[in-house]
Amino acid sequence: SQTIHQWPATLVQPVGSPLSLECTVEGTSNPNLYWYRQAAGRGLQLLFYSVGIGQISSEVPQNLSASRPQDRQFILSSKKLLLSDSGFYLCAWSVRVREQYFGPGTRLTVT
Amino acid sequence: DQQVKQNSPSLSVQEGRISILNCDYTNSMFDYFLWYKKYPAEGPTFLISISSIKDKNEDGRFTVFLNKSAKHLSLHIVPSQPGDSAVYFCAASAADQFYFGTGTSLTVIP
């Protein structure tokens, strides 16, 4: 069966510090991978999606970036965090764009 | 521009009654629709889906209805249970992307 892992589960970082969130998927090959953010009291905002290694599409211009160094690994990064980057970050995968499965999420608080 | 909209941010229902959550979309290219349930500090979990070639899909207490002419879908939960209390997101897919609504917080009152 397929599983998706995200870490860390929670993170508190000061403004201006770097960020690296990692997501890995097991049990499937060549998945589409997605990063979403849920800000407090708001819906899911698509940040990045990837249909293959090294292929990244950005939906929202911001100080975040994403990389896909391996088929089942998706990384969300920032060189300098802003207060507005606080939120709940979710990684997700899909194979046929018919069902999408989410990881447990990372709660990021920028102080 | 929000292509998938959930206009009711919250809904309260008595236990045992029907819960109806609504969702509207604008893009006629969407061909698959999904509902997710989300608890605080957890990832959304897939609940039920429907293809655009159907108008109804049922799974136990959950039924999704699709009205393509109105670009509207709804999720019916019957009977509602306290454990159903959560935020429900509808989503629509096209190409490689999923588009989510802003969610409806359902509270089932015992």
Side-chain angles (χ1 to χ4, degrees):
Chain A
S1 64
Q2 301 89 356
T3 56
I4 179 169
H5 303 279
Q6 274 187 255
W7 63 91
T10 60
L11 190 60
V12 179
Q13 292 282 98
V15 168
S17 63
L19 172 73
S20 181
L21 303 180
E22 189 164 343
C23 169
T24 59
V25 180
E26 296 177 358
T28 186
S29 296
N30 197 30
N32 288 356
L33 296 173
Y34 306 81
W35 278 111
Y36 292 88
R37 177 172 59 200
Q38 183 185 20
R42 304 184 71 176
L44 298 176
Q45 180 186 35
L46 178 64
L47 302 174
F48 302 94
Y49 72 96
S50 170
V51 299
I53 296 174
Q55 301 178 61
I56 309 293
S57 296
S58 174
E59 290 299 301
V60 182
Q62 56 208 332
N63 67 320
L64 299 172
S65 62
S67 62
R68 185 169 178 175
Q70 299 180 42
D71 181 44
R72 289 169 287 178
Q73 183 184 31
F74 206 23
I75 297 172
L76 182 69
S77 304
S78 174
K79 292 182 179 178
K80 288 185 178 181
L81 283 169
L82 307 173
L83 284 173
S84 57
D85 291 325
S86 293
F88 192 55
Y89 288 81
L90 290 156
C91 180
W93 71 273
S94 71
V95 172
R96 295 171 298 143
V97 203
R98 284 295 172 262
E99 292 176 6
Q100 188 177 55
Y101 299 94
F102 286 84
T106 296
R107 169 73 60 194
L108 171 66
T109 303
V110 182
T111 60
Chain B
D1 183 30
Q2 193 77 21
Q3 297 190 55
V4 178
K5 298 179 182 179
Q6 293 175 259
N7 293 317
S8 298
S10 62
L11 175 68
S12 291
V13 173
Q14 287 289 133
E15 180 178 4
R17 299 290 188 100
I18 184 171
S19 296
I20 300 177
L21 297 100
N22 294 303
C23 181
D24 297 292
Y25 62 96
T26 57
N27 190 341
S28 58
M29 297 301 292
F30 291 145
D31 59 356
Y32 207 75
F33 303 88
L34 310 92
W35 283 95
Y36 287 84
K37 177 180 180 180
K38 185 182 182 302
Y39 294 115
E42 294 183 11
T45 54
F46 171 75
L47 204 54
I48 192 169
S49 61
I50 188 168
S51 165
S52 60
I53 63 173
K54 296 185 176 181
D55 55 17
K56 177 182 176 181
N57 188 26
E58 190 172 356
D59 184 2
R61 297 186 297 114
F62 302 92
T63 303
V64 55
F65 294 92
L66 175 63
N67 183 334
K68 282 187 296 182
S69 60
K71 293 190 175 67
H72 178 84
L73 68 155
S74 61
L75 175 68
H76 292 208
I77 306 173
V78 55
S80 301
Q81 300 173 353
D84 296 329
S85 298
V87 176
Y88 289 78
F89 289 96
C90 68
S93 72
D96 293 312
Q97 293 192 48
F98 293 80
Y99 298 83
F100 284 81
T102 51
T104 296
S105 178
L106 172 66
T107 301
V108 180
I109 304 166

